[in-house]
Amino acid sequence: MSEKLSTKQHLLTVLLEDYFHVGAFNHLIQRGQWYRFETRFEQNTLKALDLLDRHGIKATFFVLGWIADKQPEIVREVARRGHEIANRGYYHRSIQQMTPEEFREDLSRSREALERASGMSVIGYRAARKLSAPQDLWALDVLAEEGYAYDSSFVPNRKILRTAPQQRFAHQHHHNEKSLWEFPVSTVSLLGWHMPVAGGNYFRQFPHAIVRRVVQHWHATYDAPFVMYMHVWELDPEQPRISGASPLMKIRHYRNLHKMAGIIEDYLKRYSFVGIGDYLNLDFRHENALSSSEAAQVEKSRLPLLVSDDASKATAASSVSSTKKRKPVSVVVPCFNEELILPYLSNTLKSVEQMLESDYDLQFIFVDDSSTDRTWDALHELFSARANSAFVRHTENKGVAAAILSGISSAESEVVCSIDCDCTYDPHELSRMIPQLSEGVDMVTASPYHPEGQVRNVPGWRLSLSRGASFLYRQVLNQKLYTYTSCFRVYRRSALMKIRLNENGFLGVTEMLGRLDLQGSKVVEHPATLEVRLFGRSKMKVLRTIRGHLKLLARLSMMKMRRRAHDERERTAEMNLLKDAKALASHVQTPPATPQK
């Protein structure tokens, strides 16, 4: 360890959360979907701990209560290595999303989880979204009432500092007879504005040479400690990329991740850091763990809280005993270069299977449409241990419709479903779609454009194209649906085996429905929610797909006219036969005239 510039102590805080928890992705990722993601906070936390150990530094770790409940071992390891555990809230909700009562409940739930996992007292807090407006300061009053010793959520701005310049640095917040310390995010004054420059995104976006000079100036000028922070996911440049995020959000989250470890290490070499609890000489390390029997009871009671609504329903459904025979159902999953999304798919399908297994005997058929990445190997790594999994591989890329038909051909059940590998439609909806494949129905198709359906975060241009295509298909086909292009469907296998497609790609998905419609099959539309793709890129070529839809519309129109002409000829032939039959009957019933002598 290199020589420090001085023994002056600054503060280091570490935010223990995962890449899919961050506020930048809140509008894309619902809390109920967290269980689907591949978690990486365990390995990233160990990276952070090893980095701090190399420099002999103890820090404050602000931890989500959700993580403490899901993986208490990693929280316990942080505490074992001598670091302070502080509160980050349970679900990474900003106080702007909560009432004071909800905030108080969130504090209680998360604090209990953290203290149970760490065995130490939790006396510090940092909000999911920084506090900067005067109307946010009620949160500090609640923290003081709940017995917290300090907070580190405040970002000083010009409006507040104009009347209270001391609030740029560590200060005490008083509320009635209670008080707590506030350690604001460190800022630099620039042309009258105060810009945060304390770590995290600011370290990754601004040139390191400039930020280093700012920190050095703070160190030499102010007695107050510099408050530095980092997220454990910032030490993970190989983390999965959320492709549905906007370009700005991608820059904010991913830029210079590969440099972050080196940047942090440079400051750890130059300055002395401690955690906030140690800086205040607070006693937070005394044993506060529950007894083994108490911990087991709490663990049992909290289990329903750790899963999403869908997963909770799945667990409840799987626990219901039933003596009725389960109905065979096959689920086809077409895949093409989907290596990145497969862990997300795997976690989702575990929950789906738990939800459906009491009523259906499920078989999952994964069709690799000649992927050029590791999709085929990853499918076997994730699913081959499951006895109800089957695999089909195309030797050449044929398209999503061809992949679905290959899966349907391989299925042994009459009821076959197809889902999107990227889960842009929630596969849990199969529990409501399968029963709609009643007698006389050959297809149930998901519809985000149905009045009861929804669309989340999908680009407007894509919605316009899809809605426009649906409008045109309504003019041609017999059944007036809201959506014709969805891959998320339930089929009657015998009906699909009778049709032959001209299109094998995305257009073939629409052609399936169109041919069933023109041959008189009944199609039921189910309202569903369509979400933006989270990983990887869509395989659809927009201009080619537009031209293809126009050609398919023309082809279906010709099929409809030929069918009308055929039906008209049959009706004419039937009428002629009826006339001939009537004439013959009339001739037979009329007796011949008696000849005269």
Side-chain angles (χ1 to χ4, degrees):
M1 185 167 57
S2 62
E3 189 71 23
K4 307 287 185 179
L5 290 181
S6 77
T7 57
K8 182 178 180 179
Q9 290 184 326
H10 298 291
L11 304 181
L12 177 61
T13 62
V14 181
L15 310 184
L16 203 171
E17 58 192 46
D18 225 327
Y19 63 98
F20 54 87
H21 294 148
V22 299
F25 301 143
N26 277 350
H27 66 293
L28 292 174
I29 300 171
Q30 312 297 312
R31 289 195 302 273
Q33 297 173 323
W34 283 4
Y35 76 97
R36 302 184 186 185
F37 287 82
E38 173 194 9
T39 59
R40 298 173 71 88
F41 63 82
E42 301 98 328
Q43 66 189 56
N44 295 331
T45 300
L46 293 176
K47 287 182 184 178
L49 290 173
D50 292 343
L51 175 62
L52 297 180
D53 283 350
R54 287 199 300 271
H55 296 275
I57 290 174
K58 304 304 179 187
T60 294
F61 278 69
F62 289 105
V63 187
L64 292 179
W66 183 85
I67 285 180
D69 272 343
K70 181 177 178 62
Q71 188 59 272
E73 292 81 5
I74 196 65
V75 180
R76 198 168 297 124
E77 177 65 12
V78 174
R80 189 189 68 79
R81 297 209 197 181
H83 303 282
E84 179 190 7
I85 301 297
N87 200 342
R88 181 73 163 151
Y90 196 88
Y91 274 131
H92 204 277
R93 296 169 64 194
S94 70
I95 66 160
Q96 291 82 2
Q97 297 174 315
M98 293 183 279
T99 65
E101 292 74 21
E102 290 172 332
F103 180 50
R104 202 180 300 273
E105 292 172 3
D106 186 77
L107 284 174
S108 176
R109 182 182 180 187
S110 52
R111 184 185 229 173
E112 178 185 314
L114 294 167
E115 291 186 344
R116 181 172 57 244
S118 67
M120 63 173 57
S121 295
V122 172
I123 56 175
Y125 181 81
R126 177 172 170 135
R129 181 178 174 183
K130 300 179 182 70
L131 312 182
S132 58
Q135 58 266 30
D136 294 336
L137 299 183
W138 62 264
L140 301 185
D141 297 340
V142 175
L143 288 170
E145 292 171 356
E146 293 298 312
Y148 281 80
Y150 68 86
D151 172 77
S152 186
S153 308
F154 184 61
V155 179
N157 57 36
R158 184 171 63 172
K159 182 177 180 181
I160 291 177
L161 296 182
R162 186 182 297 123
T163 57
Q166 74 279 4
Q167 292 190 10
R168 183 184 176 193
F169 309 104
H171 61 276
Q172 281 193 303
H173 173 83
H174 298 280
H175 173 63
N176 297 330
E177 297 180 355
K178 297 182 179 294
S179 64
L180 83 161
W181 279 94
E182 175 61 45
F183 290 90
V185 174
S186 296
T187 59
V188 59
S189 180
L190 186 64
L191 300 177
W193 295 90
H194 290 271
M195 181 178 298
V197 63
N201 189 44
Y202 308 108
F203 278 4
R204 292 185 290 107
Q205 303 301 335
F206 300 145
H208 180 43
I210 294 177
V211 178
R212 180 193 285 178
R213 292 182 62 183
V214 169
V215 177
Q216 187 174 357
H217 173 75
W218 183 293
H219 176 80
T221 305
Y222 305 118
D223 292 331
F226 185 81
V227 183
M228 192 171 84
Y229 73 92
M230 68 174 179
H231 305 80
V232 296
W233 55 259
E234 290 180 296
L235 303 177
D236 183 16
E238 283 77 38
Q239 64 187 261
R241 264 42 178 181
I242 306 297
S243 59
S246 68
L248 181 61
M249 290 299 99
K250 290 178 181 178
I251 292 173
R252 174 183 171 184
H253 188 80
Y254 299 118
R255 186 170 183 266
N256 288 330
L257 282 179
H258 64 289
K259 296 182 179 181
M260 190 61 174
I263 292 172
I264 293 295
E265 189 147 26
D266 181 49
Y267 293 111
L268 299 185
K269 291 176 180 178
R270 296 169 64 85
Y271 305 103
S272 296
F273 290 93
V274 295
I276 299 177
D278 284 328
Y279 182 83
L280 294 174
N281 292 318
L282 299 174
D283 181 19
F284 56 85
R285 289 188 173 88
H286 66 275
E287 286 298 321
N288 193 40
L290 299 174
S291 68
S292 58
S293 59
E294 291 174 327
Q297 186 62 33
V298 172
E299 185 79 9
K300 182 178 179 181
S301 65
R302 73 181 176 85
L303 282 177
L305 304 176
L306 304 185
V307 294
S308 71
D309 290 340
D310 291 333
S312 180
K313 293 174 185 175
T315 303
S318 65
S319 65
V320 177
S321 60
S322 176
T323 57
K324 65 181 179 181
K325 185 177 180 180
R326 295 187 301 163
K327 187 174 186 177
V329 172
S330 301
V331 180
V332 177
V333 188
C335 307
F336 176 63
N337 290 345
E338 301 287 7
E339 178 186 357
L340 294 177
I341 195 68
L342 291 181
Y344 182 88
L345 173 70
S346 176
N347 291 334
T348 304
L349 292 186
K350 287 178 185 176
S351 174
V352 171
E353 187 172 7
Q354 289 175 344
M355 172 178 278
L356 299 179
E357 65 182 357
S358 61
D359 296 314
Y360 304 107
D361 183 9
L362 294 176
Q363 180 192 31
F364 293 96
I365 303 173
F366 301 93
V367 183
D368 180 12
D369 192 22
S370 190
S371 297
T372 57
D373 63 1
R374 291 190 67 258
T375 292
W376 181 249
D377 294 334
L379 282 171
H380 282 77
E381 291 168 4
L382 290 166
F383 299 104
S384 60
R386 304 183 190 181
N388 60 346
S389 295
F391 306 90
V392 177
R393 192 178 196 182
H394 289 172
T395 56
E396 61 181 30
N397 182 250
K398 297 180 180 180
V400 62
I404 291 173
L405 284 180
S406 292
I408 293 174
S409 299
S410 301
E412 298 178 357
S413 60
E414 175 68 352
V415 178
V416 185
C417 315
S418 65
I419 69 172
D420 298 274
C421 186
D422 55 14
C423 298
T424 48
Y425 291 99
D426 185 357
H428 291 88
E429 284 297 307
L430 290 176
S431 64
R432 296 199 293 164
M433 293 174 66
I434 295 173
Q436 296 182 63
L437 196 76
S438 55
E439 186 175 353
V441 178
D442 287 335
M443 177 190 288
V444 179
T445 184
S447 174
Y449 309 132
H450 188 282
E452 298 177 17
Q454 295 184 55
V455 176
R456 291 184 187 147
N457 304 306
V458 178
W461 62 267
R462 179 180 168 186
L463 295 181
S464 298
L465 290 177
S466 186
R467 290 180 186 275
S470 294
F471 171 80
L472 295 175
Y473 283 111
R474 275 195 295 274
Q475 314 312 308
V476 173
L477 299 178
N478 297 318
Q479 296 176 84
K480 310 306 178 185
L481 308 178
Y482 292 96
T483 306
Y484 295 84
T485 56
S486 169
C487 294
F488 185 34
R489 293 172 173 170
V490 180
Y491 309 90
R492 190 173 301 282
R493 183 179 183 276
S494 56
L496 264 293
M497 290 294 93
K498 297 176 183 178
I499 67 175
R500 295 292 178 267
L501 299 180
N502 295 103
E503 302 288 346
N504 289 326
F506 288 99
L507 295 171
V509 174
T510 305
E511 188 182 2
M512 287 183 202
L513 191 154
R515 286 184 176 274
L516 286 177
D517 175 271
L518 293 179
Q519 73 181 22
S521 294
K522 183 178 180 181
V523 178
V524 172
E525 199 168 19
H526 174 75
T529 298
L530 173 64
E531 302 196 60
V532 69
R533 182 184 177 95
L534 293 177
F535 298 97
R537 296 182 178 180
S538 172
K539 314 304 186 298
M540 183 177 67
K541 307 298 182 184
V542 177
L543 294 179
R544 184 187 305 171
T545 302
I546 292 174
R547 291 194 298 268
H549 275 303
L550 295 176
K551 292 180 180 179
L552 178 58
L553 281 162
R555 189 182 304 122
L556 292 175
S557 297
M558 291 298 297
M559 289 173 57
K560 185 175 183 178
M561 287 188 289
R562 286 197 296 269
R563 182 168 290 276
R564 281 181 176 176
H566 177 266
D567 292 345
E568 185 63 31
R569 288 194 297 270
E570 285 192 343
R571 282 195 295 271
T572 300
E574 289 175 0
M575 291 178 64
N576 290 336
L577 286 173
L578 184 60
K579 289 180 180 179
D580 291 344
K582 288 182 178 179
L584 180 60
S586 176
H587 178 73
V588 170
Q589 292 174 2
T590 302
T594 303
Q596 296 181 356
K597 296 183 179 180

